[in-house]
Amino acid sequence: MGVAAVTGSASGIGAAVRRRLESDGDRVVGVDLRDADVEADLSTRLGRDAATNGVLDACGGRLDRLVLCAGLGSHVDDLSAIVSVNYFGTVELLDSLLEALRCGERPAAVAICSNAAQIVAFDDHPLVKAMLAGDEAGARDAAAAENGFVAYAASKHALSRALRRRAVAWGDAGVRLNGIAPGATETPLLRGTEQHPVWGRGLESLAIPLGRRAQPDEIATIVAFLLGPGADYVHGSIWYADGGTDAAIRPDRF
């Protein structure tokens, strides 16, 4: 038993993670816009501060597990909000809760990334560079000039790199950090994308070799493994859980 914090806990993968961790005996502090222990808007600096302070108050400054699931999809009209929530709302909570994790027992954190992060080349994209440089204003401006898919996929690409860049410092701190890159998963975010006149067609065109979409509980099972003692030597990794979509698109890249 321990104390875990989960962002995006009110629906989708976040809700499934909360259920799984609670069934495993953890006390879970949920963070979301509503219907959560800590209600906060991760698209703003004030909201992130409120989320951090709410979690720290709830856990007494000692956190064993952290799972960052909150995110916006490509169908959202406010493209700037996508990068503010998906990237800045994740990395800022990671960094602000590191000290609390250092006080925990066998501490570990997992962030939800996406297999969309590698569908196109983002290595030198200006939007990704702005995010990795911590330039939120510049990233928001860059996102507003793009489309929903680029804003979403670039945010998840930058997040994946940000996680791996933290592997050395977090390892030195004794806290494991990994990411999961799900494919199409039956969540409200996916349903919103399906209903979009452009991105819905793109979603339908993606091959899933296993022939079906994931259920949120399946992703939560992988999260639980990465947080647990069976994954004690797994650190700085991005785990793909997409039914084989990434392998179908990029068979010679891994």
Side-chain angles (χ1 to χ4, degrees):
M1 295 179 63
V3 181
V6 179
T7 70
S9 63
S11 65
I13 293 173
V17 168
R18 177 169 197 157
R19 290 193 300 268
R20 173 58 188 260
L21 296 183
E22 288 179 334
S23 72
D24 289 345
D26 278 349
R27 178 169 71 87
V28 176
V29 180
V31 179
D32 214 313
L33 282 170
R34 59 190 67 85
D35 301 324
D37 306 289
V38 177
E39 295 185 351
D41 182 356
L42 300 184
S43 71
T44 70
R45 182 66 56 83
L46 288 176
R48 293 165 212 153
D49 289 344
T52 297
N53 293 332
V55 170
L56 292 175
D57 287 345
C59 72
R62 179 184 178 277
L63 193 61
D64 302 299
R65 284 166 278 286
L66 173 63
V67 187
L68 297 137
C69 304
L72 299 176
S74 58
H75 62 287
V76 173
D77 291 331
D78 185 353
L79 303 187
S80 297
I82 295 174
V83 299
S84 285
V85 174
N86 292 7
Y87 183 80
F88 293 98
T90 299
V91 297
E92 288 185 18
L93 258 67
L94 274 174
D95 293 342
S96 64
L97 293 172
L98 176 57
E99 288 305 312
L101 284 164
R102 291 183 68 175
C103 297
E105 182 177 354
R106 301 178 86 161
V110 173
I112 301 301
C113 302
S114 173
N115 69 343
Q118 299 284 22
I119 287 179
V120 298
F122 283 113
D123 290 2
D124 296 314
H125 197 286
L127 174 53
V128 170
K129 287 184 174 180
M131 284 185 277
L132 290 173
D135 179 5
E136 185 169 5
R140 287 176 61 88
D141 288 344
E146 294 290 351
N147 60 55
F149 171 77
V150 170
Y152 174 77
S155 73
K156 294 298 189 176
H157 179 96
L159 175 59
S160 301
R161 289 170 65 177
L163 296 180
R164 290 178 61 81
R165 288 183 175 188
R166 284 162 171 75
V168 174
W170 280 57
D172 289 343
V175 184
R176 293 190 301 104
L177 174 62
N178 293 289
I180 296 178
T185 305
E186 295 289 359
T187 64
L189 187 152
L190 184 77
R191 289 191 287 275
T193 304
E194 279 184 310
Q195 294 165 8
H196 192 279
V198 175
W199 313 129
R201 291 198 299 271
L203 181 64
E204 290 175 0
S205 69
L206 287 177
I208 305 176
L210 286 186
R212 66 174 180 85
R213 294 172 175 176
Q215 295 299 315
D217 287 344
E218 293 179 293
I219 307 302
T221 296
I222 303 170
V223 171
F225 170 74
L226 288 174
L227 294 173
D232 272 351
Y233 202 60
V234 181
H235 178 56
S237 297
I238 309 296
W239 282 40
Y240 279 76
D242 66 353
T245 297
D246 184 67
I249 294 172
R250 308 183 310 135
D252 298 320
R253 298 285 300 277
F254 54 91

